[in-house]
Amino acid sequence: MSRSRAATSAAPRKLGRDLRSLVNLGETASTSRVLNLSQIHLAAANESDYARRPFFRDSRLNKAILIKHTLRTNELEIFPRPRRTATKIILPFDPTDLKLGGASVFVGQRGFDSFCKSQLASNSDVAVNPDVQILGLLDSIPALDPFLVRELLARNGFKPAHCYLKISPADIQRMIGFANAEIERLVKRAFGSTINGASLKLATKILSNELDQELMPLKHTLRLSDAEFSEGIFSWRGFLYFKWRFFELQEEMRTVISGLSTYQPAGKPDDAVKAYLEEARPRLGRSIGQTMIHVGRSLAVYDQAYAGLVDRADPSRFRTFLLDGPKLFYALGESIAILGHIASFWQYRMGQTDLKSRLHVEDYADILMDFEDSLSSLDGDT
């Protein structure tokens, strides 16, 4: 079974398969791996806040599609340093018709600065260009989940309009409720059980990055500098978010694994496709299960460190956790992002029950290959 992979360069080019896949997202503005500013422009361009607080200052970049992309073998050589995933920028020629293609580049690839100078309508130095700074920040995190992107940008002084990074009120409430329950033991240890509502108050501050005097006792207990504490709290917030997502993903992954054995694509496969599907369906199910186990083990590192702080009054392991947080946060976030992408894309493409919505067998096989590529990039993460 053949499969084309378009070469990537820093020069503008017309895209084929990438944009074909994005067209399939329909009206979806974002997933854990895609931030579709083009769709957000179509949906929210008339909102006053959209014009007042744009995501990017450059009008064309503000209609871009950003993707957390698992690098193919032929793409590794265009980066100055080894990496497994990259942030792809697609600048559509026409945001209303993605089939026309666009120009693309990876953040940080060779020629990236030249691409920015030629494509972005700005006379400023690339190094101090706010849009390029935002791209660098987005490239530094493993996923494009609205919660994480919003918090990362706010932490660095960028506050785009809410229409860009919408989080449902129900998700916000579930997340705060989860963090509240998670932090309650710490509140009782640090503040005593007599302070009404302290757990909710502290959870809200940790989630919103409001590092005021109320969190200073924790900083002093852990013997961290201001910079270390700020970085550590950001990673802690990420772990709380990922732990919440992990619980949500367990049911979603059960749906995917069950669907792998029951989904019936349309059309008759040739021998190569048939053989691939027979091997890939159980193999992909095993890979998903193994990745979930690895994520659980990573979260256990946090759980053990946190238990030492609140149950044994031993802050040493939690201090180490916060100092090592950024490294652990990235690896965990990458796994959660890939699992989240599989879950959301499965629901969108394979979750339809009517016969007319069934994928053709070759398209179905292509999607499973993408899932396998993404999961294989996590090999070695434990």
Side-chain angles (χ1 to χ4, degrees), residues 151-219:
E151 295 302 326
L152 175 71
L153 295 185
R155 187 166 167 264
N156 287 273
F158 299 104
K159 296 184 178 181
H162 290 298
C163 62
Y164 291 102
L165 299 168
K166 286 186 176 179
I167 306 172
S168 73
D171 280 353
I172 291 174
Q173 290 304 312
R174 290 204 308 273
M175 176 61 187
I176 290 178
F178 174 83
N180 178 36
E182 185 81 359
I183 293 169
E184 186 174 3
R185 289 182 298 157
L186 175 62
V187 172
K188 290 180 178 179
R189 168 71 63 179
F191 300 102
S193 58
T194 59
I195 302 180
N196 295 326
S199 59
L200 179 59
K201 191 173 184 180
L202 182 57
T204 302
K205 289 186 180 298
I206 288 173
L207 291 176
S208 67
N209 199 39
E210 295 179 15
L211 299 177
D212 64 7
Q213 293 301 311
E214 292 184 57
L215 292 180
M216 288 304 103
L218 180 60
K219 181 178 85 74

Side-chain angles (χ1 to χ4, degrees), residues 251-291:
E251 181 60 33
E252 295 171 23
M253 288 297 102
R254 280 192 285 269
T255 298
V256 174
I257 292 174
S258 174
L260 284 170
S261 62
T262 59
Y263 185 78
Q264 296 297 322
K268 184 176 181 180
D270 60 29
D271 290 342
V273 173
K274 182 178 180 181
Y276 169 73
L277 289 177
E278 289 177 351
E279 296 178 358
R281 292 197 201 206
R283 183 173 62 224
L284 181 56
R286 290 192 299 270
S287 295
I288 290 172
Q290 290 166 358
T291 303

Side-chain angles (χ1 to χ4, degrees), residues 4 68 75 160 173 324:
S4 61
K68 285 295 180 180
E75 295 167 338
Q173 290 304 312
D324 292 342

Side-chain angles (χ1 to χ4, degrees), residues 260-323:
L260 284 170
S261 62
T262 59
Y263 185 78
Q264 296 297 322
K268 184 176 181 180
D270 60 29
D271 290 342
V273 173
K274 182 178 180 181
Y276 169 73
L277 289 177
E278 289 177 351
E279 296 178 358
R281 292 197 201 206
R283 183 173 62 224
L284 181 56
R286 290 192 299 270
S287 295
I288 290 172
Q290 290 166 358
T291 303
M292 292 290 285
I293 291 172
H294 292 331
V295 169
R297 289 174 179 168
S298 296
L299 289 170
V301 173
Y302 157 72
D303 288 335
Q304 292 165 8
Y306 187 66
L309 175 65
V310 299
D311 295 337
R312 297 184 295 277
D314 177 11
S316 60
R317 292 184 69 175
F318 195 70
R319 180 179 188 276
T320 300
F321 162 77
L322 290 185
L323 291 173

